[in-house]
Amino acid sequence: MNGLKVAIVGATGAVGTELIKLLEDSQIPISCLRLIASSRSARREVKFRGTSSLVDVIEDASDAAFDIAFFSAGGATSLKWAPQFAAKGALVIDNSNAFRMDSDVPLVVPQVNPKMLASRPNRGIVANPNCSTIQFVRALRPLAQSFSIRQIVLTTYQAASGGGLRGINELLTDAKSVLDGTGEPTSERFPVSLAFNVVPQVGELSDDGVSLEERKLVQESRKILGLPNLKLTATCVRVPVINGHSEAIYIELTEFIPLNNVRELLARELGIQLYEEAGCCAYPTPRLLDNHGHVHIGRIRTNPDDSRGLWMWVVANNLQVGAALNAVQIGELAYRNRLMGAQ
Ligand SMILES: NC(=O)c1ccc[n+]([C@@H]2O[C@H](COP(=O)([O-])OP(=O)(O)OC[C@H]3O[C@@H](n4cnc5c(N)ncnc54)[C@H](OP(=O)(O)O)[C@@H]3O)[C@@H](O)[C@H]2O)c1
């Protein structure tokens, strides 16, 4: 197989921009990269490996055949166009929420369920999970495989970049106007103004009081881990951080497990960085992360009132680990499996 023809739909967005950067150094041999966005960005120049390309609108690229098409332009665009790209032979790696829970679409985190990429899915679509799900399942996998879990209670602290470039811009503009004392706080991308605030809602709230993000986290984690009965409940919170999601995870095991056993298991896991020293700053924080491809885990401790209860603090770059890097790693694994057989 020679160089691959690759498309990125949503190439000018927060995730698309990271995809372009990560593909520069990826193991996927690329002979042609087509960059696609909305008409707002048509003809914009974007560089890949030192060469400029012009951004296309999707209608101009829809007749072309690609080997891989990364979709990162929201659910509506994926629903309309991903099946058409797949029908022309592309393996679609979709970042949106459009297909994740479809039973005939694998939902893949390569470090957790790589076997899902052993053969090509009939629909030609592989789904990339939600950002808060990916770091959670990567941290949980070694523990879920070794120990019996009673239940998990999880709180997320999610950055503005989870709301895309508009989310980042809104936080920055909003913070400036609060500091300057000028203008009203803005709240277009988030339910209420995010600057200097904490918002306990990510995505729409349904009638039972659960938010869309909380529902996605639970359903997707069960599917990826292959644990349909996993007892997991979450509160998802937006915080005024530009990039990097944090999660406080409480795992109630069925028996006491010494902390050293837990640490050893996590330390052996590829792509996990442990913070084990005691004292100040011996834990990861989203703004000061250094290794952006890793899941960072600190403050592993036992509940003093229940020795079967285990806490940990998990931080990751949501635009990379939680989106673009996971998508590229799906592409790399699919390529190692030579795009998984017959089309
Ligand atoms: N941000 C995260 O942490 C994260 C994590 C996991 C998954 N995701 C998912 O990834 C997707 C992209 O998120 P993002 O954060 O990168 O959003 P974003 O910054 O708002 O970028 C959206 C991208 O989609 C393009 N687009 C919008 N409408 C389009 C259309 N009709 N045809 C073609 N392109 C279109 C935009 O082009 P213009 O520049 O021309 O507007 C832009 O390139 C979403 O589905 C999101 O749910 C995001």
Side-chain angles (χ1 to χ4, degrees):
M1 190 176 268
N2 295 321
L4 304 188
K5 293 189 184 114
V6 174
I8 300 178
V9 181
T12 52
V15 175
T17 304
E18 295 295 326
L19 273 169
I20 295 169
K21 279 193 241 160
L22 291 168
L23 284 174
E24 295 213 341
D25 297 319
S26 109
Q27 297 157 12
I28 303 169
I30 298 176
S31 60
C32 159
L33 181 67
R34 192 96 176 246
L35 303 173
I36 297 163
S38 81
S39 54
R40 291 179 290 274
S41 308
R43 315 309 292 162
R44 189 198 289 182
E45 264 189 34
V46 176
K47 276 202 170 152
F48 177 67
R49 292 183 181 154
T51 306
S52 291
S53 313
L54 295 180
V55 171
D56 283 318
V57 292
I58 201 161
E59 288 79 3
D60 290 347
S62 58
D63 282 338
F66 297 99
D67 298 295
I68 299 179
F70 293 97
F71 269 72
S72 194
T77 304
S78 291
L79 278 172
K80 178 168 179 196
W81 292 102
Q84 299 186 42
F85 277 60
K88 290 204 175 305
L91 179 73
V92 170
I93 301 173
D94 183 43
N95 261 304
S96 81
N97 190 26
F99 309 106
R100 288 178 188 152
M101 294 312 297
D102 293 3
S103 57
D104 52 356
V105 172
L107 181 63
V108 179
V109 177
Q111 294 81 357
V112 178
N113 59 348
K115 286 189 182 143
M116 299 309 291
L117 293 183
S119 59
R120 194 175 175 97
N122 286 340
R123 287 165 73 184
I125 300 173
V126 178
N128 203 48
N130 184 37
C131 42
S132 52
T133 306
I134 294 175
Q135 68 188 72
F136 169 65
V137 296
R138 282 186 55 183
L140 188 68
R141 188 204 72 92
L143 308 182
Q145 247 181 17
S146 306
F147 311 131
S148 166
I149 292 171
R150 250 198 95 232
Q151 65 164 341
I152 299 174
V153 180
L154 163 62
T155 305
T156 69
Y157 305 79
Q158 298 185 219
S161 62
L165 287 181
R166 283 196 298 138
I168 298 174
N169 291 337
E170 183 171 308
L171 173 60
L172 294 175
T173 312
D174 201 11
K176 191 168 183 310
S177 63
V178 174
L179 287 171
D180 293 349
T182 56
E184 284 298 304
T186 44
S187 53
E188 283 170 17
R189 199 73 183 104
F190 306 113
V192 298
S193 161
L194 186 61
F196 306 101
N197 207 357
V198 167
V199 181
Q201 180 188 348
V202 181
E204 269 169 49
L205 288 176
S206 49
D207 291 345
D208 59 3
V210 176
S211 73
L212 178 62
E213 187 82 357
E214 289 155 1
R215 203 176 301 284
K216 287 192 285 192
L217 216 169
V218 170
Q219 292 176 340
E220 292 178 19
S221 299
R222 288 178 178 152
K223 178 170 174 176
I224 297 160
L225 291 162
L227 297 172
N229 300 317
L230 180 70
K231 281 183 83 179
L232 166 65
T233 182
T235 300
C236 292
V237 180
R238 189 76 73 187
V239 293
V241 165
I242 292 174
N243 188 39
H245 288 354
S246 307
E247 299 180 348
I249 306 175
Y250 184 69
I251 306 170
E252 201 181 311
L253 302 168
T254 54
E255 60 180 333
F256 166 69
I257 304 288
L259 277 189
N260 275 349
N261 295 18
V262 172
R263 289 203 180 97
E264 271 169 27
L265 273 177
L266 291 170
R268 281 208 295 268
E269 188 76 1
L270 274 184
I272 281 188
Q273 192 164 322
L274 279 191
Y275 295 62
E276 293 188 89
E277 295 159 41
C280 174
C281 300
Y283 41 77
T285 58
R287 191 164 68 85
L288 304 178
L289 283 189
D290 48 9
N291 193 341
H292 290 267
H294 278 54
V295 174
H296 300 253
I297 306 182
R299 299 215 55 211
I300 302 170
R301 64 198 190 277
T302 302
N303 176 356
D305 292 326
D306 182 351
S307 62
R308 292 163 306 175
L310 188 72
W311 278 105
M312 51 187 191
W313 174 249
V314 177
V315 182
N317 179 330
N318 51 292
L319 292 178
Q320 291 203 6
V321 166
L325 181 64
N326 197 72
V328 169
Q329 288 172 338
I330 289 174
E332 289 176 339
L333 183 51
Y335 175 69
R336 283 202 294 281
N337 296 341
R338 293 303 182 262
L339 304 183
M340 305 128 77
Q343 293 182 26

